[in-house]
Amino acid sequence: VNNIVHTSGTIGLEIFNSKIKNYGVFYPLQTFNKKIVLDLITTPICVEASNDKFQKNLLKIGKDVSKKVIKINSEQRRKLHLAAVFACNFTNHMFTIADKILLQNNIDFKLLLPIINQTVKKLHRNKPSKVQTGPAKRKETKVINSHINQLSDKKIKELYELITESIIKHNV
């Protein structure tokens, strides 16, 4: 084997221990599902390599797949992956909780899609902290307490309280 790459956001370049001359990382920052077709053209491809020549090859391959190809080191990629977990996985879990609340009350989750889409749309032109809304942002204690009282699941209630506290704390 002359060339080898991995595609992980969490594993560093050092995994190869220089056993091979050309080794690197080709990390597409995207969520994948076998049942959902994905166009990679807008997916950022993060590249790191053991040497400049191999890195140029990975950048070229990346540009054949995506409009957004960047060089990024292992530590930066780990931080990017961590941020992606917050932005994608944790957000999706919040959607799951919202869906559960709505299902228990015979309300269709799809009613939330316009507000979800609008929230994401605002992020194209603004920093997330600049578009934060809601009762925690406005420090509406009555509404917050009403929400907490409506939640029967202890863990979901704790999660609501932690996130509300975090929004209030970062709202300076």
Side-chain angles (χ1 to χ4, degrees), residues 5-152:
V5 297
H6 72 69
T7 60
S8 172
T10 59
I11 298 171
L13 194 61
E14 69 278 357
I15 191 76
F16 297 115
N17 287 331
S18 306
K19 295 175 184 173
I20 298 166
K21 181 181 177 190
N22 297 318
Y23 55 94
V25 182
F26 191 88
Y27 172 56
L29 180 62
Q30 189 53 269
T31 177
F32 294 97
N33 182 308
K34 291 178 187 177
K35 297 177 185 174
I36 298 174
V37 177
L38 180 66
D39 183 3
L40 290 176
I41 198 72
T42 59
T43 296
I45 306 289
C46 304
V47 172
E48 182 180 17
S50 58
N51 60 66
D52 287 341
K53 185 178 177 188
F54 193 52
Q55 187 160 341
K56 284 178 187 173
N57 289 339
L58 292 180
L59 289 167
K60 183 180 180 307
I61 293 167
K63 288 176 184 171
D64 289 340
V65 177
S66 171
K67 289 189 222 174
K68 181 75 173 170
V69 183
I70 60 168
K71 294 184 258 185
I72 194 166
N73 67 41
S74 294
E75 191 55 32
Q76 290 172 314
R77 194 173 55 261
R78 285 183 186 103
K79 298 298 188 207
L80 182 61
H81 188 271
L82 172 62
V85 167
F86 272 92
C88 180
N89 305 126
F90 289 0
T91 301
N92 192 72
H93 183 66
M94 295 298 144
F95 298 151
T96 301
I97 292 169
D99 187 39
K100 181 180 176 184
I101 291 168
L102 294 175
L103 275 172
Q104 291 168 346
N105 292 279
N106 199 28
I107 303 170
D108 186 359
F109 176 81
K110 289 191 180 2
L111 289 172
L112 293 178
L113 291 179
I115 195 170
I116 292 168
N117 289 333
Q118 180 62 20
T119 300
V120 172
K121 190 176 181 182
K122 288 190 283 185
L123 296 175
H124 287 270
R125 296 184 189 265
N126 301 282
K127 294 200 65 69
S129 59
K130 298 299 181 195
V131 296
Q132 182 71 55
T133 64
K137 166 81 173 170
R138 296 184 298 270
K139 298 179 181 155
E140 296 174 348
T141 310
K142 278 187 176 180
V143 175
I144 292 166
N145 288 333
S146 171
H147 287 168
I148 291 167
N149 290 332
Q150 292 176 61
L151 294 167
S152 55

